[in-house]
Amino acid sequence: MNWIKQNPFLSGLLGGTLVICGLLSIVAMKGESKYQDTKTRFETAFREVNKSEKLPLYPIAQNRQAKIKALDDYSGSIDKLREFHSKFQTDPKANISTQEFTGYIKAANEEVVNAFKAAESKLPDDFFMGFNAYRSELAKSGSTALLDYQLKAVKHLLLGMAEARPTQLTRIYRKKIVEEDDGIYEPAQDDVAREFSYEIVFKGSEASVRDFINKFHDKESYYYVIRSMRIENEKDTPPRISDAKFENPAPANTDLGGAFGVPFFDEGPPAVAGESQVALDFLPEGTIPQTRDVVENPALLAPSVAAVDSTKILSQVLGNEELHVFIRFDILMFFPTKEITKP
Protein backbone atom coordinates (compact mmCIF):
# COMPACT_ATOMS: atom_id res chain seq x y z
CA MET A 1 0.00 0.00 0.00
CA ASN A 2 2.85 2.41 0.82
CA TRP A 3 4.39 1.72 -2.58
CA ILE A 4 1.12 2.55 -4.32
CA LYS A 5 0.84 5.78 -2.34
CA GLN A 6 4.44 6.62 -2.98
CA ASN A 7 4.18 5.81 -6.71
CA PRO A 8 0.70 6.85 -7.81
CA PHE A 9 1.61 7.22 -11.46
CA LEU A 10 3.16 3.79 -11.84
CA SER A 11 0.39 2.14 -9.90
CA GLY A 12 -2.24 3.87 -12.05
CA LEU A 13 -0.43 2.90 -15.21
CA LEU A 14 -0.18 -0.68 -14.04
CA GLY A 15 -3.84 -0.83 -13.11
CA GLY A 16 -4.90 0.64 -16.44
CA THR A 17 -2.71 -1.83 -18.26
CA LEU A 18 -4.38 -4.72 -16.45
CA VAL A 19 -7.84 -3.43 -17.29
CA ILE A 20 -6.91 -2.98 -20.95
CA CYS A 21 -5.43 -6.48 -21.08
CA GLY A 22 -8.65 -7.90 -19.66
CA LEU A 23 -10.74 -6.05 -22.24
CA LEU A 24 -8.45 -7.24 -25.02
CA SER A 25 -8.81 -10.80 -23.78
CA ILE A 26 -12.60 -10.55 -23.91
CA VAL A 27 -12.50 -9.08 -27.42
CA ALA A 28 -10.08 -11.78 -28.54
CA MET A 29 -12.34 -14.52 -27.24
CA LYS A 30 -15.31 -13.08 -29.07
CA GLY A 31 -13.26 -12.74 -32.25
CA GLU A 32 -12.17 -16.34 -31.96
CA SER A 33 -15.78 -17.45 -31.76
CA LYS A 34 -16.74 -15.45 -34.86
CA TYR A 35 -13.70 -16.81 -36.66
CA GLN A 36 -14.69 -20.39 -35.91
CA ASP A 37 -18.26 -19.76 -37.07
CA THR A 38 -17.03 -18.15 -40.28
CA LYS A 39 -14.60 -20.97 -40.86
CA THR A 40 -17.34 -23.56 -40.37
CA ARG A 41 -19.63 -21.82 -42.86
CA PHE A 42 -16.81 -21.53 -45.37
CA GLU A 43 -15.93 -25.20 -45.11
CA THR A 44 -19.59 -26.17 -45.53
CA ALA A 45 -19.96 -23.96 -48.60
CA PHE A 46 -16.70 -25.30 -49.99
CA ARG A 47 -17.92 -28.88 -49.69
CA GLU A 48 -21.22 -27.96 -51.39
CA VAL A 49 -19.35 -26.34 -54.28
CA ASN A 50 -17.16 -29.39 -54.72
CA LYS A 51 -20.26 -31.58 -54.68
CA SER A 52 -22.03 -29.36 -57.22
CA GLU A 53 -19.05 -29.47 -59.57
CA LYS A 54 -19.47 -33.23 -59.81
CA LEU A 55 -23.16 -33.03 -60.81
CA PRO A 56 -24.12 -33.32 -64.53
CA LEU A 57 -25.88 -29.93 -64.53
CA TYR A 58 -23.09 -27.93 -63.00
CA PRO A 59 -23.44 -24.40 -64.40
CA ILE A 60 -20.91 -24.52 -67.17
CA ALA A 61 -21.59 -23.30 -70.72
CA GLN A 62 -22.33 -26.78 -72.11
CA ASN A 63 -24.78 -27.68 -69.35
CA ARG A 64 -26.40 -24.28 -69.59
CA GLN A 65 -27.15 -24.78 -73.29
CA ALA A 66 -28.57 -28.25 -72.59
CA LYS A 67 -30.78 -26.81 -69.87
CA ILE A 68 -32.06 -24.08 -72.20
CA LYS A 69 -32.84 -26.67 -74.89
CA ALA A 70 -34.73 -28.86 -72.42
CA LEU A 71 -36.81 -25.89 -71.25
CA ASP A 72 -37.55 -24.88 -74.85
CA ASP A 73 -38.65 -28.42 -75.72
CA TYR A 74 -40.89 -28.52 -72.65
CA SER A 75 -42.39 -25.16 -73.54
CA GLY A 76 -42.98 -26.35 -77.11
CA SER A 77 -44.82 -29.44 -75.84
CA ILE A 78 -47.04 -27.22 -73.70
CA ASP A 79 -47.79 -25.02 -76.70
CA LYS A 80 -48.81 -28.09 -78.73
CA LEU A 81 -51.11 -29.26 -75.94
CA ARG A 82 -52.57 -25.76 -75.67
CA GLU A 83 -53.26 -25.72 -79.42
CA PHE A 84 -54.77 -29.22 -79.30
CA HIS A 85 -57.13 -28.45 -76.41
CA SER A 86 -58.18 -25.10 -77.86
CA LYS A 87 -60.55 -27.05 -80.15
CA PHE A 88 -62.47 -28.24 -77.11
CA GLN A 89 -63.13 -24.84 -75.56
CA THR A 90 -66.03 -22.43 -75.74
CA ASP A 91 -66.98 -19.09 -74.27
CA PRO A 92 -69.53 -19.82 -71.49
CA LYS A 93 -70.79 -16.24 -71.81
CA ALA A 94 -71.37 -16.30 -75.57
CA ASN A 95 -74.46 -14.36 -76.63
CA ILE A 96 -77.00 -17.04 -77.64
CA SER A 97 -80.63 -16.16 -77.00
CA THR A 98 -83.03 -18.72 -75.58
CA GLN A 99 -85.11 -18.67 -78.76
CA GLU A 100 -82.04 -19.32 -80.89
CA PHE A 101 -81.04 -22.26 -78.72
CA THR A 102 -84.51 -23.80 -78.99
CA GLY A 103 -84.21 -23.56 -82.77
CA TYR A 104 -80.80 -25.25 -82.61
CA ILE A 105 -82.26 -28.17 -80.66
CA LYS A 106 -85.07 -28.71 -83.13
CA ALA A 107 -82.73 -28.58 -86.12
CA ALA A 108 -80.23 -30.98 -84.53
CA ASN A 109 -83.00 -33.35 -83.45
CA GLU A 110 -84.44 -33.45 -86.96
CA GLU A 111 -81.00 -34.18 -88.45
CA VAL A 112 -80.39 -37.08 -86.07
CA VAL A 113 -83.89 -38.50 -86.59
CA ASN A 114 -83.40 -38.48 -90.37
CA ALA A 115 -80.02 -40.17 -90.01
CA PHE A 116 -81.48 -42.99 -87.87
CA LYS A 117 -84.38 -43.36 -90.27
CA ALA A 118 -81.97 -43.75 -93.18
CA ALA A 119 -80.04 -46.36 -91.18
CA GLU A 120 -83.31 -48.16 -90.35
CA SER A 121 -82.59 -47.80 -86.63
CA LYS A 122 -85.25 -47.07 -84.05
CA LEU A 123 -85.32 -44.12 -81.64
CA PRO A 124 -87.26 -43.66 -78.38
CA ASP A 125 -90.74 -42.17 -78.78
CA ASP A 126 -89.78 -39.15 -76.64
CA PHE A 127 -86.38 -38.64 -78.27
CA PHE A 128 -85.19 -35.04 -78.08
CA MET A 129 -81.37 -35.28 -77.86
CA GLY A 130 -81.50 -35.47 -74.05
CA PHE A 131 -82.98 -31.96 -73.86
CA ASN A 132 -86.57 -33.09 -73.23
CA ALA A 133 -87.15 -30.33 -70.67
CA TYR A 134 -86.93 -27.74 -73.45
CA ARG A 135 -89.75 -29.11 -75.55
CA SER A 136 -92.14 -26.83 -73.72
CA GLU A 137 -89.94 -24.24 -72.00
CA LEU A 138 -86.98 -22.00 -72.73
CA ALA A 139 -83.52 -22.41 -71.29
CA LYS A 140 -82.09 -19.88 -68.87
CA SER A 141 -80.11 -17.20 -70.67
CA GLY A 142 -76.99 -17.87 -68.59
CA SER A 143 -76.81 -21.52 -69.70
CA THR A 144 -77.40 -21.34 -73.46
CA ALA A 145 -73.73 -21.20 -74.48
CA LEU A 146 -72.83 -24.29 -72.46
CA LEU A 147 -75.96 -26.14 -73.54
CA ASP A 148 -75.19 -25.34 -77.17
CA TYR A 149 -71.70 -26.85 -76.76
CA GLN A 150 -73.26 -30.02 -75.34
CA LEU A 151 -75.87 -30.12 -78.09
CA LYS A 152 -73.28 -29.98 -80.86
CA ALA A 153 -71.11 -32.63 -79.20
CA VAL A 154 -73.92 -35.13 -78.59
CA LYS A 155 -75.30 -34.57 -82.11
CA HIS A 156 -71.87 -35.38 -83.54
CA LEU A 157 -71.79 -38.60 -81.52
CA LEU A 158 -75.35 -39.66 -82.38
CA LEU A 159 -74.72 -39.15 -86.08
CA GLY A 160 -71.75 -41.48 -85.63
CA MET A 161 -74.06 -43.99 -83.97
CA ALA A 162 -76.41 -43.82 -86.96
CA GLU A 163 -73.45 -44.64 -89.21
CA ALA A 164 -72.80 -47.74 -87.09
CA ARG A 165 -76.42 -48.82 -87.78
CA PRO A 166 -77.53 -50.22 -84.41
CA THR A 167 -80.96 -51.82 -84.14
CA GLN A 168 -82.32 -49.37 -81.60
CA LEU A 169 -81.36 -46.47 -79.35
CA THR A 170 -83.30 -47.30 -76.20
CA ARG A 171 -82.53 -44.35 -73.94
CA ILE A 172 -80.44 -41.19 -73.68
CA TYR A 173 -79.99 -39.24 -70.46
CA ARG A 174 -78.24 -35.90 -69.89
CA LYS A 175 -77.22 -34.65 -66.45
CA LYS A 176 -78.30 -31.06 -65.80
CA ILE A 177 -75.71 -28.36 -65.17
CA VAL A 178 -76.03 -25.85 -62.34
CA GLU A 179 -76.50 -22.92 -64.74
CA GLU A 180 -79.86 -24.37 -65.79
CA ASP A 181 -81.13 -23.52 -62.31
CA ASP A 182 -79.39 -20.12 -62.18
CA GLY A 183 -76.49 -21.61 -60.21
CA ILE A 184 -72.80 -20.73 -60.47
CA TYR A 185 -70.21 -23.32 -61.38
CA GLU A 186 -67.00 -23.24 -59.33
CA PRO A 187 -64.17 -25.43 -60.67
CA ALA A 188 -61.69 -27.00 -58.30
CA GLN A 189 -58.21 -25.53 -58.07
CA ASP A 190 -56.53 -28.19 -60.21
CA ASP A 191 -59.35 -28.76 -62.72
CA VAL A 192 -58.38 -28.35 -66.36
CA ALA A 193 -61.73 -29.25 -67.94
CA ARG A 194 -65.43 -29.33 -67.19
CA GLU A 195 -67.43 -32.54 -67.57
CA PHE A 196 -70.89 -32.86 -69.12
CA SER A 197 -72.26 -36.31 -68.25
CA TYR A 198 -74.45 -38.50 -70.45
CA GLU A 199 -75.84 -42.04 -70.39
CA ILE A 200 -77.04 -44.01 -73.41
CA VAL A 201 -78.57 -47.46 -73.81
CA PHE A 202 -78.82 -49.11 -77.21
CA LYS A 203 -79.08 -52.49 -78.91
CA GLY A 204 -77.25 -53.76 -81.95
CA SER A 205 -75.01 -56.37 -83.48
CA GLU A 206 -71.47 -56.93 -82.31
CA ALA A 207 -70.14 -55.15 -85.41
CA SER A 208 -72.32 -52.06 -84.83
CA VAL A 209 -71.32 -51.89 -81.15
CA ARG A 210 -67.63 -52.09 -82.01
CA ASP A 211 -68.02 -49.46 -84.72
CA PHE A 212 -69.83 -47.05 -82.40
CA ILE A 213 -67.33 -47.44 -79.55
CA ASN A 214 -64.59 -46.49 -81.99
CA LYS A 215 -66.40 -43.19 -82.55
CA PHE A 216 -65.42 -42.11 -79.03
CA HIS A 217 -61.77 -42.04 -80.12
CA ASP A 218 -62.47 -39.34 -82.69
CA LYS A 219 -60.78 -36.31 -81.12
CA GLU A 220 -61.04 -34.07 -84.16
CA SER A 221 -64.19 -32.25 -83.06
CA TYR A 222 -65.09 -33.09 -79.46
CA TYR A 223 -63.41 -34.81 -76.54
CA TYR A 224 -65.31 -37.83 -75.15
CA VAL A 225 -64.32 -39.97 -72.18
CA ILE A 226 -66.06 -43.30 -71.43
CA ARG A 227 -66.48 -43.62 -67.66
CA SER A 228 -68.24 -46.99 -67.49
CA MET A 229 -69.72 -49.50 -69.91
CA ARG A 230 -71.76 -52.67 -69.63
CA ILE A 231 -72.47 -55.11 -72.46
CA GLU A 232 -74.94 -57.99 -72.21
CA ASN A 233 -76.06 -60.66 -74.65
CA GLU A 234 -79.67 -60.64 -75.71
CA LYS A 235 -80.01 -64.19 -74.33
CA ASP A 236 -78.97 -65.18 -70.83
CA THR A 237 -78.03 -68.74 -71.82
CA PRO A 238 -75.44 -69.82 -74.39
CA PRO A 239 -76.58 -71.46 -77.64
CA ARG A 240 -77.12 -75.23 -77.52
CA ILE A 241 -76.28 -77.88 -80.07
CA SER A 242 -79.97 -78.49 -80.58
CA ASP A 243 -80.29 -74.92 -81.85
CA ALA A 244 -78.48 -75.90 -85.04
CA LYS A 245 -80.78 -76.84 -87.93
CA PHE A 246 -78.84 -79.27 -90.10
CA GLU A 247 -79.92 -79.38 -93.72
CA ASN A 248 -80.84 -82.81 -95.07
CA PRO A 249 -79.34 -83.75 -98.47
CA ALA A 250 -81.64 -84.83 -101.30
CA PRO A 251 -82.62 -88.54 -100.94
CA ALA A 252 -80.90 -90.99 -103.29
CA ASN A 253 -82.88 -92.89 -105.95
CA THR A 254 -83.68 -96.28 -104.38
CA ASP A 255 -86.26 -97.47 -106.91
CA LEU A 256 -85.37 -101.13 -107.60
CA GLY A 257 -87.99 -101.60 -110.31
CA GLY A 258 -85.43 -103.11 -112.67
CA ALA A 259 -82.84 -105.78 -112.22
CA PHE A 260 -80.09 -103.21 -112.63
CA GLY A 261 -81.72 -100.28 -110.86
CA VAL A 262 -83.45 -99.04 -114.03
CA PRO A 263 -87.24 -99.25 -114.21
CA PHE A 264 -88.51 -101.71 -116.75
CA PHE A 265 -91.18 -99.33 -117.87
CA ASP A 266 -89.06 -96.19 -118.13
CA GLU A 267 -90.86 -93.65 -120.25
CA GLY A 268 -87.73 -91.60 -120.82
CA PRO A 269 -85.80 -91.22 -124.07
CA PRO A 270 -84.05 -94.31 -125.43
CA ALA A 271 -80.45 -94.83 -124.57
CA VAL A 272 -77.85 -93.69 -127.04
CA ALA A 273 -75.92 -96.51 -128.66
CA GLY A 274 -72.77 -97.34 -126.78
CA GLU A 275 -73.93 -95.88 -123.41
CA SER A 276 -74.16 -98.24 -120.48
CA GLN A 277 -77.46 -98.60 -118.68
CA VAL A 278 -75.87 -100.50 -115.80
CA ALA A 279 -76.24 -98.91 -112.36
CA LEU A 280 -72.77 -98.65 -110.87
CA ASP A 281 -74.08 -99.24 -107.37
CA PHE A 282 -74.80 -102.87 -108.33
CA LEU A 283 -71.35 -103.69 -109.72
CA PRO A 284 -69.50 -106.38 -107.77
CA GLU A 285 -66.92 -105.14 -105.33
CA GLY A 286 -63.53 -104.71 -106.97
CA THR A 287 -64.98 -104.54 -110.50
CA ILE A 288 -63.52 -101.70 -112.58
CA PRO A 289 -66.06 -100.20 -114.98
CA GLN A 290 -64.90 -100.19 -118.56
CA THR A 291 -67.80 -98.45 -120.22
CA ARG A 292 -67.12 -95.30 -122.20
CA ASP A 293 -69.42 -93.06 -120.20
CA VAL A 294 -67.73 -93.88 -116.87
CA VAL A 295 -64.24 -93.45 -118.25
CA GLU A 296 -65.14 -90.10 -119.79
CA ASN A 297 -67.15 -88.97 -116.73
CA PRO A 298 -65.55 -90.32 -113.51
CA ALA A 299 -68.02 -88.26 -111.44
CA LEU A 300 -70.54 -91.05 -112.03
CA LEU A 301 -68.58 -93.13 -109.54
CA ALA A 302 -69.47 -90.76 -106.66
CA PRO A 303 -72.94 -90.71 -105.13
CA SER A 304 -75.01 -87.60 -105.73
CA VAL A 305 -75.25 -85.62 -102.43
CA ALA A 306 -76.78 -82.14 -102.13
CA ALA A 307 -74.30 -79.43 -101.02
CA VAL A 308 -74.74 -78.20 -97.44
CA ASP A 309 -73.96 -74.59 -96.43
CA SER A 310 -71.87 -75.03 -93.26
CA THR A 311 -71.88 -71.29 -92.49
CA LYS A 312 -75.57 -71.46 -91.63
CA ILE A 313 -74.90 -74.27 -89.16
CA LEU A 314 -72.05 -72.34 -87.51
CA SER A 315 -74.20 -69.22 -87.31
CA GLN A 316 -76.93 -71.15 -85.54
CA VAL A 317 -74.52 -72.78 -83.10
CA LEU A 318 -72.55 -69.62 -82.33
CA GLY A 319 -75.68 -67.54 -81.92
CA ASN A 320 -77.18 -64.56 -83.73
CA GLU A 321 -78.43 -62.62 -80.73
CA GLU A 322 -77.73 -58.90 -80.45
CA LEU A 323 -76.03 -56.97 -77.64
CA HIS A 324 -77.58 -54.61 -75.11
CA VAL A 325 -75.09 -51.84 -74.27
CA PHE A 326 -75.03 -49.22 -71.51
CA ILE A 327 -72.40 -46.45 -71.70
CA ARG A 328 -71.84 -43.58 -69.30
CA PHE A 329 -69.53 -40.96 -70.77
CA ASP A 330 -68.48 -37.34 -70.36
CA ILE A 331 -68.07 -34.58 -72.89
CA LEU A 332 -65.08 -32.47 -71.81
CA MET A 333 -64.82 -28.74 -72.26
CA PHE A 334 -61.30 -27.54 -71.45
CA PHE A 335 -60.63 -24.29 -69.64
CA PRO A 336 -58.40 -21.62 -71.19
CA THR A 337 -54.77 -22.40 -70.44
CA LYS A 338 -52.55 -20.10 -68.42
CA GLU A 339 -49.35 -18.64 -69.79
CA ILE A 340 -46.25 -20.18 -68.23
CA THR A 341 -43.36 -17.90 -67.34
CA LYS A 342 -40.06 -19.23 -68.62
CA PRO A 343 -37.29 -19.36 -66.01
Side-chain angles (χ1 to χ4, degrees), residues 89-100:
Q89 298 175 358
T90 189
D91 183 7
K93 298 182 180 180
N95 186 18
I96 300 177
S97 67
T98 55
Q99 291 81 2
E100 286 178 326

Side-chain angles (χ1 to χ4, degrees), residues 159-171:
L159 290 177
M161 175 182 280
E163 293 177 0
R165 306 179 72 87
T167 303
Q168 179 180 2
L169 173 62
T170 308
R171 176 176 178 267

Side-chain angles (χ1 to χ4, degrees), residues 13-212:
L13 180 62
L14 181 60
T17 302
L18 293 175
V19 172
I20 292 174
C21 289
L23 293 175
L24 290 175
S25 298
I26 295 174
V27 172
M29 292 176 62
K30 290 183 177 181
E32 177 67 18
S33 177
K34 291 182 179 180
Y35 169 77
Q36 292 297 335
D37 292 342
T38 304
K39 181 181 178 183
T40 301
R41 289 196 300 269
F42 171 78
E43 291 176 349
T44 302
F46 183 75
R47 286 194 300 270
E48 292 295 331
V49 170
N50 286 336
K51 182 179 179 180
S52 299
E53 289 179 348
K54 298 177 182 179
L55 296 176
L57 288 181
Y58 181 74
I60 59 177
Q62 181 179 358
N63 291 339
R64 181 175 179 274
Q65 293 299 326
K67 184 70 173 180
I68 292 175
K69 183 179 183 303
L71 290 175
D72 289 341
D73 293 343
Y74 179 72
S75 178
S77 299
I78 293 177
D79 291 338
K80 290 181 180 178
L81 285 175
R82 183 184 292 111
E83 181 181 358
F84 173 74
H85 289 112
S86 63
K87 299 182 295 184
F88 315 117
Q89 298 175 358
T90 189
D91 183 7
K93 298 182 180 180
N95 186 18
I96 300 177
S97 67
T98 55
Q99 291 81 2
E100 286 178 326
F101 176 67
T102 301
Y104 294 159
I105 298 179
K106 293 180 179 179
N109 188 74
E110 183 179 0
E111 184 176 354
V112 172
V113 169
N114 291 336
F116 271 74
K117 187 180 296 184
E120 298 181 350
S121 301
K122 295 182 180 179
L123 287 171
D125 294 336
D126 60 343
F127 178 76
F128 203 58
M129 305 284 292
F131 296 87
N132 298 55
Y134 301 117
R135 282 184 180 271
S136 57
E137 62 182 60
L138 297 177
K140 301 293 179 65
S141 58
S143 64
T144 53
L146 296 173
L147 292 176
D148 182 63
Y149 182 81
Q150 295 182 58
L151 175 65
K152 292 176 180 177
V154 75
K155 185 192 78 169
H156 180 76
L157 189 63
L158 290 176
L159 290 177
M161 175 182 280
E163 293 177 0
R165 306 179 72 87
T167 303
Q168 179 180 2
L169 173 62
T170 308
R171 176 176 178 267
I172 180 170
Y173 166 77
R174 180 185 66 88
K175 184 179 180 181
K176 292 179 65 175
I177 58 177
V178 295
E179 288 85 352
E180 294 181 73
D181 296 324
D182 291 329
I184 299 176
Y185 173 76
E186 293 292 343
Q189 181 178 359
D190 297 330
D191 285 352
V192 297
R194 184 173 180 180
E195 303 171 351
F196 302 115
S197 300
Y198 280 80
E199 295 177 1
I200 55 175
V201 180
F202 68 98
K203 182 176 73 171
S205 64
E206 184 270 340
S208 66
V209 172
R210 183 177 63 251
D211 188 13
F212 175 63

Side-chain angles (χ1 to χ4, degrees), residues 298-315:
L300 294 175
L301 291 172
S304 176
V305 179
V308 177
D309 187 359
S310 61
T311 59
K312 294 182 179 180
I313 300 176
L314 289 176
S315 176

